[in-house]
Amino acid sequence: MEKRRCYVSRCYPHNLAGGYKAKTDIELIMKENNFHNLGLQQKFNDNKIYGFFYNLISVFKAIVSVKKDDILVIQYPLKKYYFILSYMAQLKGAKVVALIHDLGCFRRKKLTVEQEKKRLEYTNHLIVLSDKMKEFVIKEKYKQSLSVLHLWDYLNDTIPQPSRYPQPNHIDILYVGTLKENQHGFIYKWDNTTLTSSLNFDIYGSYFNFENIKYKKQFKYHGLKDSSLIIQDTKAHYGLLWYGVGTDSISGAYGEYLKYNTSHKISLYIHAHIPLIVWSKASFADFTRKYNIGICVDTLDTLEQQLQTISEDEYNQMVENTKYLSEKIQKGYYFMTAYKQAEKLLLSDSNIGK
């Protein structure tokens, strides 16, 4: 009998961008590939009390519905419910695959490695975000088999603006994120010693304090918007992947985060056919170089000089390469590839439980 591929859908505040869109897209990809939703239907409601009870019922329904030999995909972390859901699934004879969005022992340091390994005790397979994260979990002796996502899929049929080679005196850079100063302080500290007049920024996201920007004329803030509107409207030449408080380098918790995680905003930039500016030590730097979809930089302090060296032919080739990847992420290619590898390993007796 064919194994059932299963997942549990949830209630989300929105799916405008970032982590919520990543999770809702994965659910839709599974639905489109005939996975069984063991919970309630995907729903959007920003009332926290409503969301709590909706998700509680969805998880309880999944616990009742899961069967022996099912393969259950759970998006990790799943607050409050991950351990009990994975435990009950295994107790009933199912296999559990965890798609890792973030490890608690990384950015927020809410868990030690040993605590996280304990939480994942009833998980058979991990889909990790990058080769660097794979190296980390192997080094730390996690017991599960592994496959790598590499890049977040991004479901959106919006047609981007036509790409255009930037003029030397005017380069537009797109930046999307949760723009709190403790996370993205480099935006607020940028001054005229490193921020030259040729660099201009289109900023999208929440918690942006425009009043604290030193050179306001070079920053245009658009608020928190649906990703479709960003893709449809932006005329940026590049998309920036950077975190932390400084322009000279990335350090601290957010530096560690980028060394292992694959940011969801990367897929938005790729979908918009925009070449990337990536920190050279980020986990995604190797992928950027391999597919020639942008440049890798050690520091933002010399960003203009580096961008000025890119020829029109080089730029256009990077754009074409983003278009190639954009077609893949719109079809769920990366998740399904990683999942099929997981399934193959789980159905091989020699690899189960490793």
Side-chain angles (χ1 to χ4, degrees):
M1 186 174 71
E2 186 177 354
K3 308 285 184 181
R4 286 202 313 175
R5 299 170 169 179
C6 304
Y7 70 103
V8 183
S9 197
R10 296 173 54 203
C11 178
Y12 299 93
H14 62 76
N15 69 335
L16 296 179
Y20 292 133
K21 178 165 175 55
K23 291 177 180 178
T24 56
D25 276 1
I26 292 295
E27 287 184 12
L28 291 175
I29 291 166
M30 289 190 282
K31 181 179 180 180
E32 290 170 359
N33 283 274
N34 299 315
F35 284 58
H36 295 267
N37 179 11
L38 302 180
L40 301 176
Q41 294 302 306
Q42 186 182 104
K43 200 175 187 67
F44 298 99
N45 192 309
D46 61 4
N47 184 296
K48 291 183 179 180
I49 296 175
Y50 179 91
F52 170 80
F53 284 106
Y54 192 92
N55 291 332
L56 179 64
I57 295 169
S58 189
V59 168
F60 181 76
K61 183 175 183 292
I63 289 172
V64 173
S65 303
V66 67
K67 298 178 181 179
K68 183 181 178 181
D69 295 327
D70 284 349
I71 299 177
L72 174 62
V73 177
I74 309 176
Q75 301 197 61
Y76 181 90
L78 178 60
K79 292 181 180 179
K80 305 177 183 69
Y81 310 118
Y82 184 86
F83 184 85
I84 186 63
L85 181 56
S86 59
Y87 171 76
M88 292 302 298
Q90 280 208 357
L91 189 66
K92 297 179 75 172
K95 301 298 179 185
V96 177
V97 175
L99 170 59
I100 305 295
H101 287 255
D102 199 2
L103 288 172
C105 59
F106 282 166
R107 178 171 46 164
R108 295 178 176 88
K109 306 293 184 183
K110 289 188 175 182
L111 298 173
T112 66
V113 171
E114 291 305 315
Q115 287 172 330
E116 194 130 48
K117 288 163 71 173
K118 181 68 175 177
R119 184 170 290 186
L120 292 166
E121 182 178 3
Y122 297 101
T123 302
N124 302 90
H125 183 94
L126 304 179
I127 299 177
V128 296
L129 298 184
S130 67
D131 289 325
K132 295 290 186 184
M133 187 179 285
K134 180 179 179 180
E135 291 172 9
F136 173 85
V137 298
I138 291 174
K139 177 184 176 183
E140 295 295 340
K141 296 181 171 55
Y142 284 66
K143 68 177 183 179
Q144 295 82 4
S145 58
L146 301 168
S147 56
V148 183
L149 186 69
H150 293 297
L151 181 62
W152 287 107
D153 294 300
Y154 208 95
L155 304 185
N156 194 301
D157 58 4
T158 304
I159 298 175
Q161 293 281 339
S163 302
R164 56 201 175 93
Y165 180 63
Q167 298 302 310
N169 63 344
H170 191 99
I171 301 172
D172 290 322
I173 299 173
L174 175 63
Y175 193 78
V176 179
T178 303
L179 303 162
K180 295 179 179 178
E181 292 190 46
N182 67 324
Q183 298 176 7
H184 301 83
F186 74 93
I187 296 174
Y188 302 92
K189 291 185 177 179
W190 228 323
D191 58 33
N192 62 358
T193 61
T194 54
L195 180 59
T196 58
S197 59
S198 67
L199 300 180
N200 297 272
F201 291 82
D202 278 336
I203 307 291
Y204 290 84
S206 54
Y207 303 105
F208 186 58
N209 190 347
F210 187 72
E211 291 305 311
N212 285 358
I213 294 293
K214 293 182 178 180
Y215 291 88
K216 295 179 175 59
K217 66 179 181 179
Q218 288 172 249
F219 289 85
K220 186 178 292 185
Y221 179 50
H222 303 274
L224 177 64
K225 290 192 175 181
D226 186 284
S227 57
S228 296
L229 296 177
I230 301 175
I231 295 167
Q232 170 187 293
D233 295 340
T234 186
K235 296 181 180 179
H237 304 106
Y238 295 93
L240 176 62
L241 178 65
W242 197 267
Y243 285 95
V245 297
T247 59
D248 57 336
S249 65
I250 299 179
S251 59
Y254 285 91
E256 288 300 307
Y257 173 76
L258 274 187
K259 286 180 182 178
Y260 299 102
N261 280 39
T262 300
S263 175
H264 189 253
K265 74 180 70 177
I266 293 169
S267 296
L268 187 153
Y269 298 156
I270 290 173
H271 195 302
H273 303 163
I274 299 172
L276 311 176
I277 300 167
V278 177
W279 183 40
S280 60
K281 295 180 181 178
S283 66
F284 201 72
D286 290 341
F287 192 98
T288 302
R289 296 185 188 100
K290 178 179 179 180
Y291 288 94
N292 187 25
I293 53 173
I295 66 168
C296 300
V297 299
D298 296 324
T299 173
L300 296 181
D301 293 346
T302 58
L303 179 57
E304 182 191 26
Q305 296 94 305
Q306 289 183 259
L307 294 178
Q308 299 283 11
T309 66
I310 298 172
S311 70
E312 186 169 2
D313 285 344
E314 289 171 332
Y315 181 83
N316 290 337
Q317 184 59 61
M318 289 190 292
V319 170
E320 289 304 309
N321 293 342
T322 64
K323 291 179 180 179
Y324 167 76
L325 294 180
S326 179
E327 292 181 1
K328 288 192 168 187
I329 62 178
Q330 291 180 69
K331 297 175 181 177
Y333 169 84
Y334 285 95
F335 171 73
M336 287 306 302
T337 299
Y339 172 79
K340 288 175 182 177
Q341 185 176 356
E343 188 175 272
K344 182 179 179 180
L345 289 169
L346 289 176
L347 297 182
S348 170
D349 290 340
S350 62
N351 287 287
I352 289 177
K354 287 187 178 180

